Amino acid sequence: MPTRTARTAWNGTLQEGSGQVELSSSKVGTYEVSFPKRAAEEADGTTSPEELIAAAHSSCFAMALSNEIGKAGGTPQSLEVSADVTLGQKDGGPHITKIAITVRGEVEGLDAAGFEQAAQAAKAGCPVSKALAGVDEISLDASLES
């Protein structure tokens, strides 16, 4: 299996500095990062480690769920997955306190219970979920659309 690489160039202090994160393996882009914007409600054109984790988690979960649906005898028509990653405080410092995964799917060959079972298996088996096992809470809201 391949190794993927991202790189960040940072200048300045935590509060006044900023950086650029580059998705080096895919070369799809370089994005601005800064701690004040990371901690603010509005991202204002910058990304954050939490947003990048959300992107990684939602895409990994979608792949894992597609696989689990197939293993259960279903055929995914469409999956809409979002991940909300919350940065909070724990033990006096910043900590990812919660990840909420929401998935809405159109699937042939599975009922709602089968879809929920596949979603729970995807949550447990997704490599990014496993890597994020130290997060206090990872929740899942899965609904089969008709």
Side-chain angles (χ1 to χ4, degrees):
M1 297 300 275
T3 298
R4 301 291 187 228
T5 303
R7 170 189 154 295
T8 299
W10 184 269
N11 295 302
T13 66
L14 177 64
Q15 292 299 327
E16 291 156 16
S18 65
Q20 300 79 36
V21 61
E22 171 190 273
L23 304 181
S24 306
S25 298
S26 64
K27 300 185 183 351
V28 296
T30 300
Y31 305 94
E32 298 295 317
V33 292
S34 87
F35 185 78
K37 291 183 181 178
R38 176 185 185 185
E41 287 298 319
E42 294 298 320
D44 244 357
T46 65
T47 192
S48 66
E50 292 72 34
E51 184 177 38
L52 296 169
I53 289 169
H57 207 172
S58 66
S59 61
C60 183
F61 179 85
M63 291 177 206
L65 180 54
S66 179
N67 183 53
E68 292 295 334
I69 289 167
K71 286 177 11 183
T75 304
Q77 300 302 305
S78 69
L79 301 172
E80 185 73 30
V81 180
S82 65
D84 298 322
V85 177
T86 302
L87 180 65
Q89 290 284 322
K90 183 177 178 182
D91 300 327
H95 182 79
I96 295 174
T97 56
K98 181 179 179 180
I99 300 174
I101 300 169
T102 302
V103 59
R104 300 294 177 257
E106 292 182 25
V107 176
E108 291 181 3
L110 291 183
D111 61 10
F115 183 73
E116 176 69 27
Q117 186 174 357
Q120 291 296 338
K123 178 183 168 215
C126 165
V128 173
S129 291
K130 291 177 182 179
L132 296 170
V135 174
D136 295 338
E137 177 187 354
I138 300 178
S139 65
L140 174 62
D141 174 6
S143 293
L144 189 61
E145 306 283 313
S146 47

